[in-house]
Amino acid sequence: MPDHPQRSNAEWLHDLRATGTVRDEAIVDLRAYLLRAVLIYLTRNRSDLAGFHYDELRQLAEDWTQEALMQVLANLDSFRGDSKFTTWAYRVAINLVAGELRRKRWENASLEALTESESPDLSLKMDDTSVTPESSLTRGQVWAAIHSVIESDLTDRQRTVLTDVVFDGVPIEVVAASLDTNRNNIYKIVHDARKKMKQSMEARGWSADDVLAAFSGPGGE
Amino acid sequence: MSRRDIQIQRFIEQILTTEPIELDCLAVLDIVERYVESHVFGRDVGRLGVDVPLHFKHCPDCAEMFAVLAELAQLEASDLLPDINSLWNQLAGMTAPAIGGNPDPAAAGAAAGAAIAVRPASVGLLSLGDAATSPGTVTSGTVPAASSAPGATNVALQGPSLWQRLRHLFFGDAAATAAAGSQGRRPVGAAAGTVRAGAFPVFASVVALALGLGWWHAEQRADDLEARLQALDTRLSVVAERASEHTEMIAMLQRLDRVKGNRSPSGAWVKVHYSPTYGEAMVLMGKLPKIARGQKLEGWLMRNGFPPQSTGVVPDEVMHEADYWTIPCSTPMKDATTFMLTLEPEHTEVVSVALAP
């Protein structure tokens, strides 16, 4: 018997809203779909899983699957039917697991040190030996313009978000939690910062090609 | 290049590709599964085919979710979902040795199956959602152990995952390349030409679909269309926050920079949000005349000195649900361009909107 029985969207909703054996079987089937999605996510490019013990990760996978299952069942009414039910359920599961895994990866990092740093390291340390002097000059000028926007045009909160997310690679969820906001606002803050920086470049008449060429590494395109 | 160099280079690219208005994470989260299926099943996505990938370029987290959802949808559509045992085995090979010893993958798989069978968590779950279902209805005996279908094919394990490939495509991700190599897979970037030439047909198909542009017709109901229209005409951003359930509508409206409307003596009204630059228009209408059997409403773009250009028949769902209608609107908006609705086959003009003087 395949472990992924096929159901139409209507059948999923009907069965999951039913009672008794019908619902139980649908839940078991849905759980298998979600567990598979969680495992596929975990087995794809998760080099950062190396620090986990198998037992620990297996337990986490089961817990996340269970949590995703609960979320799906609690939000059946919000399923609009404009995709396959399983795709919608996958989204719930992956969104949950991805966020949890990113948080776990950073739970030992000192966010406090990141966010309270008054002068984050924004110096440009790229290797200049493999680019032309012109590119090196452009690179320095572009970075100076970016640095100027960061220092002069951004609020403290924007500067903190930008340095954490962009330069320190802190997951958005982690930064959002540390600033008591949500990931959407973090995205908007970074977007506003990018807009200001782009305007600054355009005001100086730099072409995108020139800027990209200046920042291409050895062997870059 | 160092990790920091790569981050800086990526950020520079993000700055250069910044648009004044971008979809945010919530908007993308609201549509991502439909966007995924549009790619996998070859459906048109219209303007979102530009806006969503742009968001992915700026948001690795959302791009990561898209990639894995696309892989899942592709595997499911192809009936190639891997069996759970093989996934447990693969996970065992990726992680540190288990506490108390290095698990034998086969034993680990069996243990995983057993773990599913005896795990009582779903029992607790059942008591949450449905009072009519007593806790404990699902017993360990009813939970199937992960199947170990002999000969099950797991094509996703034969090379870099779709996720890795897309991640590399979007970001040139060195980590993805390294991870692929470390797992005995072909590094994505090292021989991209050969990788993309035919070793990964799934990848090729997804990329091909990703490049496809067209129209995405979504079905969304409007709870209070009149009120929303008033707001749409003034503050799109405010509406975007208040009406997140109409994400694709907002996303399109944000691209459209002009609005014209008109009302007929009979009360029928039409508003056209449009952008000559993007060649898109969104038509909203209401109080349309009742359509007799055999009749239809048809849209037209009219220009002086040119024959009328039909924009098609108003879709049934728009008629019935007072929702919006997207139309191609590439005709240059000059020479007194007018959008007109006519009742066919009587060719009765219902209402017309002058889009350009």
Side-chain angles (χ1 to χ4, degrees):
Chain A
M1 177 181 171
D3 60 354
H4 49 275
Q6 303 285 325
R7 280 183 176 86
S8 67
N9 287 356
E11 288 168 338
W12 273 116
L13 292 175
H14 173 270
D15 293 355
L16 290 171
R17 286 169 172 154
T19 57
T21 307
V22 172
R23 183 172 190 257
D24 295 347
E25 290 178 351
I27 288 177
V28 170
D29 292 342
L30 177 59
R31 190 176 189 283
Y33 272 94
L34 295 175
L35 177 60
R36 186 183 293 102
V38 169
L39 292 177
I40 285 178
Y41 176 79
L42 292 176
T43 52
R44 299 295 185 268
N45 194 35
R46 304 309 316 185
S47 56
D48 50 344
L49 296 184
F52 284 89
H53 291 289
Y54 175 72
D55 289 346
E56 178 187 10
L57 198 56
R58 196 175 75 191
Q59 186 64 51
L60 285 173
E62 295 278 10
D63 291 346
W64 289 332
T65 299
Q66 195 65 28
E67 176 63 25
L69 181 59
M70 293 172 67
Q71 287 189 15
V72 168
L73 293 178
N75 291 284
L76 284 180
D77 289 343
S78 69
F79 174 60
R80 296 182 299 234
D82 41 20
S83 70
K84 290 187 71 173
F85 178 80
T86 47
T87 306
W88 175 75
Y90 291 152
R91 192 258 289 169
V92 173
I94 300 304
N95 191 42
L96 170 80
V97 177
E100 289 294 322
L101 201 56
R102 288 187 204 111
R103 269 190 285 272
K104 279 209 160 289
R105 193 194 313 159
W106 279 88
E107 65 185 3
N108 294 326
S110 173
L111 252 188
E112 191 174 337
L114 289 171
T115 55
E116 289 189 351
S117 174
E118 291 184 357
S119 54
D121 180 12
L122 297 177
S123 59
L124 187 61
K125 298 171 181 172
M126 296 182 81
D127 177 16
D128 274 353
T129 58
S130 56
V131 297
T132 65
E134 291 79 9
S135 290
S136 177
L137 180 62
T138 302
R139 183 184 286 183
Q141 290 174 331
V142 169
W143 194 250
I146 290 173
H147 198 275
S148 173
V149 170
I150 293 174
E151 292 298 322
S152 307
D153 296 345
L154 302 186
T155 64
D156 290 344
R157 187 177 175 87
Q158 288 176 320
R159 198 176 302 122
T160 296
V161 168
L162 191 73
T163 51
D164 284 359
V165 173
V166 175
F167 300 110
D168 295 321
V170 183
I172 287 179
E173 287 98 339
V174 177
V175 177
S178 72
L179 296 176
D180 195 24
T181 183
N182 58 52
R183 61 173 293 158
N184 213 48
N185 284 336
I186 298 296
Y187 183 88
K188 287 176 178 174
I189 288 173
V190 175
H191 178 224
D192 286 342
R194 282 192 278 111
K195 280 195 293 189
K196 289 177 180 175
M197 290 170 185
K198 187 178 183 184
Q199 287 165 359
S200 174
M201 289 185 192
E202 288 173 343
R204 289 168 168 81
W206 292 329
S207 76
D209 288 343
D210 289 344
V211 173
L212 281 177
F215 279 86
S216 292
E221 295 173 358
Chain B
M1 295 176 77
S2 68
R3 179 172 173 270
R4 182 182 167 84
D5 289 350
I6 292 171
Q7 285 175 327
I8 289 175
Q9 189 180 38
R10 189 176 300 163
F11 184 54
I12 295 293
E13 292 169 2
Q14 290 177 343
I15 292 172
L16 294 172
T17 54
T18 294
E19 292 291 334
I21 298 174
E22 296 177 0
L23 295 182
D24 57 34
C25 295
L26 273 181
V28 170
L29 191 65
D30 194 48
I31 59 172
V32 68
E33 61 263 26
R34 280 174 286 166
Y35 183 76
V36 163
E37 291 190 353
S38 297
H39 283 290
V40 173
F41 301 122
R43 297 176 192 145
D44 291 334
V45 292
R47 191 69 222 170
L48 292 178
V50 176
D51 293 339
V52 177
L54 179 67
H55 178 83
F56 291 157
K57 233 178 182 357
H58 297 147
C59 183
D61 295 351
C62 288
E64 176 187 75
M65 179 161 58
F66 163 73
V68 73
L69 287 177
E71 178 170 7
L72 284 162
Q74 178 74 57
L75 289 170
E76 187 174 332
S78 308
D79 200 21
L80 291 172
L81 283 172
D83 73 277
I84 291 176
N85 257 1
S86 73
L87 291 169
W88 282 122
N89 288 342
Q90 191 184 6
L91 195 63
M94 294 174 62
T95 51
I99 301 169
N102 196 1
D104 171 57
I116 296 172
V118 299
R119 186 171 171 71
S122 58
V123 172
L125 166 73
L126 288 173
S127 65
L128 294 176
D130 185 354
T133 307
S134 62
T137 303
V138 173
T139 66
S140 61
T142 64
V143 183
S147 71
S148 55
T153 306
N154 183 2
V155 296
L157 305 182
Q158 301 306 309
S161 69
L162 181 66
W163 173 10
Q164 288 172 335
R165 293 173 224 141
L166 289 173
R167 190 171 166 186
H168 180 77
L169 181 71
F170 280 123
F171 307 114
D173 194 313
T177 304
S182 69
Q183 293 167 28
R185 302 171 185 164
R186 182 196 298 268
V188 179
T194 55
V195 169
R196 292 167 185 157
F200 303 111
V202 172
F203 173 56
S205 64
V206 170
V207 171
L209 290 171
L211 295 175
L213 293 176
W215 284 96
W216 177 30
H217 184 82
E219 295 184 6
Q220 287 283 325
R221 289 183 170 82
D223 297 323
D224 188 354
L225 185 60
E226 288 282 8
R228 277 196 297 127
L229 281 175
Q230 291 300 319
L232 289 172
D233 289 345
T234 53
R235 292 289 301 275
L236 291 181
S237 58
V238 173
V239 174
E241 290 179 4
R242 286 198 311 221
S244 61
E245 70 273 24
H246 301 291
T247 306
E248 70 278 15
M249 177 181 181
I250 300 304
M252 173 164 279
L253 283 169
Q254 286 175 335
R255 283 284 176 188
L256 308 179
D257 51 7
R258 302 182 191 181
V259 57
K260 292 288 181 66
N262 200 3
R263 184 181 294 269
S264 75
S266 68
W269 57 264
V270 170
K271 286 190 179 180
V272 185
H273 296 254
Y274 68 101
S275 166
T277 306
Y278 289 99
E280 297 173 345
M282 179 184 288
V283 180
L284 303 106
M285 58 198 95
K287 295 187 175 14
L288 299 173
K290 287 195 173 181
I291 307 298
R293 185 183 300 275
Q295 288 184 326
K296 60 184 180 180
L297 274 175
E298 188 166 2
W300 303 87
L301 285 175
M302 316 280 286
R303 293 175 58 198
N304 281 348
F306 291 88
Q309 176 190 351
S310 173
T311 61
V313 175
V314 178
D316 284 343
E317 59 267 34
V318 176
M319 295 292 299
H320 297 150
E321 298 175 11
D323 214 325
Y324 60 88
W325 180 31
T326 54
I327 60 172
C329 197
S330 56
T331 303
M333 294 297 167
K334 57 184 180 182
D335 300 325
T337 301
T338 296
F339 175 79
M340 182 182 294
L341 268 184
T342 61
L343 192 61
E344 304 288 339
E346 285 83 357
H347 311 293
T348 305
E349 180 180 332
V350 174
V351 65
S352 61
V353 179
L355 301 182

